[in-house]
């Protein structure tokens, strides 16, 4: 069965510092990988996705994630965070079927 | 714009009462999902439906019921058998492809 592990439950970081949110998955088949962001009292919004092709994918607000098949990882990075990036981030994996498996989430807290 | 609408945003339940959460989508997705979110516990799948008039139990279906009479609608009933219903409930829709699920803005259910 597929599983997703987000290695950090909380990540505090100062504004303008770089950040990495770690995600590892386990699967024996080809997978599609996603990062979602959730602001308080809102639903999940898709941040970026890896479907195929280039292993480095980027979002419009400066986040990027790299698919590493050998390490079964899909870590999320941003070189300089803003206060507005404070949110919960979920890594997710899908194998093309109906179900999506979500990690437990990482709460990013950006301090001034 | 296409999307998922959940209503109400906030809901209060009295002891022994059943309540129904609404979820409507206009994305023409075949599949719909209900998740429960508790602080620090990520997303847990309650029920999902791959097609009209069919649905399957997820990981925590006890105390909940659903129906799928129309492609666009997937209401969730929280019954009195659910002893700890206070949580944030998220509805999602998707397809059996490599594309990600889309989420509504959630309903927060509390006990009076």
């Amino acid at each position: 069965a597929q599983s997703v592990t987000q290695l950090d439950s909380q990540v505090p970081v100062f504004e303008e510092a770089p950040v990495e949110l770690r995600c590892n998955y386990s699967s024996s088949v080809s997978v599609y990988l996603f990062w979602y962001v959730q602001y308080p009292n809102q639903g999940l919004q898709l941040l970026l996705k890896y479907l195929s092709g280039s292993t480095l994918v980027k979002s419009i607000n400066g986040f990027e994630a790299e698919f590493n098949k050998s390490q079964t990882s899909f870590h999320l990075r941003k070189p300089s965070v803003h206060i507005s990036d404070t949110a919960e981030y979920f890594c997710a994996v899908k194998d093309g079927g109906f179900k999506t498996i979500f990690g437990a989430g990482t709460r990013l807290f950006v301090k001034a | 714009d296409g999307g998922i609408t959940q209503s109400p945003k906030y809901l209060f339940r009295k002891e022994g009462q059943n309540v129904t959460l609404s979820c409507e989508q206009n994305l023409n997705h075949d599949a719909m999902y209900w998740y429960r979110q508790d602080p620090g516990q990520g997303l847990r799948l309650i029920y999902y439906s791959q097609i009209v008039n069919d649905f399957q139990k997820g990981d925590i279906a006890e105390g909940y019921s659903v129906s799928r009479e129309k492609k666009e609608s997937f209401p969730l009933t929280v019954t009195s058998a659910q002893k700890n219903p206070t949580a944030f409930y998220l509805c999602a829709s998707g397809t059996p492809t490599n594309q990600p699920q889309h989420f509504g803005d959630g309903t927060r259910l509390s006990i009076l």
Side-chain angles (χ1 to χ4, degrees), chain A residues 83-101:
Chain A
I83 296 287
S84 59
D85 293 324
T86 294
E88 189 149 22
Y89 293 80
F90 291 92
C91 181
V93 62
K94 197 180 183 190
D95 62 6
F98 280 98
K99 282 192 176 182
T100 299
I101 307 302

Side-chain angles (χ1 to χ4, degrees), chain A residues 32 34 36 38 41-46 49 51 88 90 94-100 102-105 107, chain B residues 9-10 31 33 35 37 41-43 45 48 50 88 90 95-101 103-106 108:
Chain A
Y32 309 103
F34 312 98
Y36 289 84
Q38 184 183 32
N41 290 314
Q42 294 185 24
L44 275 66
Q45 303 170 32
L46 183 68
K49 60 185 177 183
L51 303 180
E88 189 149 22
F90 291 92
K94 197 180 183 190
D95 62 6
F98 280 98
K99 282 192 176 182
T100 299
F102 292 87
R107 187 171 300 277
Chain B
K9 181 72 173 175
Y10 299 94
Y33 310 80
Y35 295 91
Q37 189 175 25
Q41 293 196 36
L43 301 173
L45 183 64
Y48 66 103
Q50 299 177 9
F88 191 53
L90 287 164
T95 58
T97 64
N98 60 2
Q99 295 303 310
Q101 290 182 10
F103 283 82
D105 283 337
R108 186 165 296 282

Side-chain angles (χ1 to χ4, degrees), chain A residues 43-88:
Chain A
L44 275 66
Q45 303 170 32
L46 183 68
L47 187 60
L48 45 74
K49 60 185 177 183
Y50 171 77
L51 303 180
S52 65
S54 173
T55 57
L56 183 66
V57 292
K58 299 183 179 185
S59 72
I60 60 173
N61 59 352
F63 282 95
E64 63 182 35
E66 185 157 20
F67 169 59
N68 187 318
K69 187 174 183 178
S70 62
Q71 297 186 11
T72 60
S73 67
F74 191 53
H75 301 332
L76 181 69
R77 302 182 182 95
K78 189 171 186 181
S80 176
V81 294
H82 302 288
I83 296 287
S84 59
D85 293 324
T86 294
E88 189 149 22

Side-chain angles (χ1 to χ4, degrees), chain B residues 32-93:
Chain B
M32 297 187 74
Y33 310 80
W34 275 105
Y35 295 91
R36 171 177 171 143
Q37 189 175 25
D38 295 281
Q41 293 196 36
L43 301 173
R44 292 187 288 171
L45 183 64
I46 304 172
Y47 269 99
Y48 66 103
S49 169
Q50 299 177 9
I51 197 169
V52 174
N53 292 322
D54 186 43
F55 49 82
Q56 288 80 40
K57 293 181 178 180
D59 301 317
I60 55 163
E62 185 175 351
Y64 300 96
S65 66
V66 293
S67 63
R68 186 86 186 277
E69 297 176 2
K70 299 187 302 181
K71 186 176 185 177
E72 300 80 17
S73 180
F74 191 42
L76 173 73
T77 296
V78 184
T79 74
S80 57
Q82 172 50 246
K83 298 305 178 188
N84 184 22
T86 297
F88 191 53
Y89 291 87
L90 287 164
C91 179
S93 71

